[in-house]
Amino acid sequence: MLDPHRLRVFRSVVASGSVQAAADNLGLTSSAVSQHVAALQRETGLTLFHRAGRGIAPTEAALALVERTDEVMSRWGELDQAVADLREGRSGRLAIGYFASAGAAWMPALVKRLTHEYPDLVLELVLTEAEARGSSTGRGPDIDLVIDPPDTPVRSGYRRIELTTDPFVVIVPAGHPLIGQGPVSLSDLRRETWVSNDYPRSIGHRMVVAHCNAVGFRPRFTVQAQDHYTAIRFVEAGIGVSVLPGLAARDLPASVVRIPLAPPAPVRHLAALVRDDGTPDEAADRAVALLTDLIHHPSSRLR
């Protein structure tokens, strides 16, 4: 059986680039680090490093071992945290998955209020938008905030709670001719230079492109920002316009103007998937109640 401490030391050497740098980072002597690496090589029968100039470099086997042990070390870290929680009297844990715009708009206030009411609750917040949804525990978060139409089949083991709808808007730089004309249609933007603000395969990006195709054109994306906040800065610089969810366009620089889109325009349906395994979860239910309050009474974020 491999020694987790030796694995940590070995991974530090790979990440740090040298034995001495790993020793400095770990608070060990370089001799101790070398001994751990040598012992790991004996245990595995692998050559993990080779000479490269005056230093060392990881072998292909070492890089593969780092990749293969990522999940194992994450689980070991969770075990360490669980022991610390038990030692310090923290017995409850709640994992919440969220997408980026919800993270910026809702999560700070939610965490503040939830931890005030449940000071012994351990929260695990997981950005699940850009990868397969699921917490580091591998079983999926207790609450998962999702962008799904209402008719989307509910994930097994969860119940769905509708939160709100999120209409898309267009943001333009100050001085743009469309400012002051009221809601604009997507067709009004057909000759504009567009800045993307999400991954090409994301739900939001596909919704925008589909709605543009429906009115007879395909957006001319000249900047692939692929996240809302970078896209806002490109618009601020006068590079182009961007169509993005209203939730992501809440806090804009003074030189960027938000304009409503006239129907038919894309709308996100936002919901919370809550684990439903037959066991009552007071913290999860309270988290959803607080989140609903934050959404429908924005001033409560300040309390």
Side-chain angles (χ1 to χ4, degrees):
M1 182 178 294
L2 299 182
D3 185 322
H5 181 60
R6 286 177 185 159
L7 282 173
R8 284 196 181 105
V9 172
F10 153 70
R11 288 165 59 90
S12 179
V13 175
V14 175
S16 304
S18 72
V19 168
Q20 186 59 58
D24 293 341
N25 290 333
L26 296 172
L28 300 173
T29 65
S30 58
S31 175
V33 170
S34 296
Q35 290 174 19
H36 282 301
V37 171
L40 184 62
Q41 290 190 133
R42 289 194 301 271
E43 289 177 350
T44 60
L46 300 173
T47 299
L48 299 175
F49 296 94
H50 59 77
R51 288 288 175 187
R54 295 184 178 180
I56 60 172
T59 63
E60 290 296 323
L63 296 176
L65 184 59
V66 168
E67 182 178 357
R68 296 288 181 88
T69 56
D70 277 344
E71 184 177 355
V72 172
M73 299 309 293
S74 175
R75 297 285 180 88
W76 194 262
E78 289 172 12
L79 181 58
D80 283 346
Q81 184 61 57
V83 171
D85 291 343
L86 291 170
R87 183 173 59 246
E88 297 172 20
R90 297 190 298 263
S91 57
R93 179 177 291 270
L94 185 69
I96 303 177
Y98 66 94
F99 49 92
S101 51
W106 301 334
M107 297 307 291
L110 174 62
V111 170
K112 181 179 180 179
R113 293 179 62 179
L114 194 60
T115 53
H116 175 74
E117 294 188 18
Y118 296 87
D120 293 331
L121 181 68
V122 178
L123 284 176
E124 179 187 2
L125 306 181
V126 186
L127 180 63
T128 55
E129 185 174 26
E131 55 185 281
R133 295 187 183 116
S135 73
S136 58
T137 62
R139 73 173 197 138
D142 301 297
I143 300 172
D144 201 2
L145 306 185
V146 298
I147 307 167
D148 285 331
D151 58 354
T152 303
V154 178
R155 193 182 312 165
S156 177
Y158 287 82
R159 54 189 169 91
R160 177 182 174 113
I161 298 175
E162 302 298 333
L163 294 176
T164 189
T165 55
D166 186 23
F168 280 64
V169 299
V170 58
I171 58 171
V172 301
H176 194 282
L178 290 174
I179 296 173
Q181 298 185 20
V184 301
S185 67
L186 284 173
S187 58
D188 293 329
L189 306 174
R190 69 171 64 240
R191 293 183 176 84
E192 297 286 344
T193 296
W194 286 52
V195 177
S196 77
N197 55 71
D198 214 338
Y199 291 98
R201 290 184 292 178
S202 69
I203 295 172
H205 184 87
R206 288 187 281 114
M207 287 174 62
V208 169
V209 171
H211 276 74
C212 289
N213 286 338
V215 296
F217 78 102
R218 183 173 181 82
R220 184 166 60 93
F221 293 105
T222 60
V223 179
Q224 297 290 332
Q226 297 188 352
D227 75 86
H228 301 141
Y229 308 105
T230 304
I232 290 169
R233 295 302 177 183
F234 276 111
V235 173
E236 182 183 24
I239 305 301
V241 305
S242 194
V243 173
L244 73 169
L247 193 62
R250 298 172 58 85
D251 299 313
L252 298 175
S255 54
V256 175
V257 178
R258 165 181 172 151
I259 304 175
L261 285 173
V267 176
R268 299 195 303 182
H269 294 267
L270 311 182
L273 300 183
V274 182
R275 183 176 300 285
D276 187 10
D277 57 8
T279 303
D281 190 331
E282 179 185 339
D285 291 341
R286 183 57 179 155
V288 173
L290 288 172
L291 181 59
T292 302
D293 182 54
L294 290 168
I295 292 170
H296 296 290
H297 303 92
S299 61
S300 65
R301 293 189 185 95
L302 304 177
R303 297 200 298 267

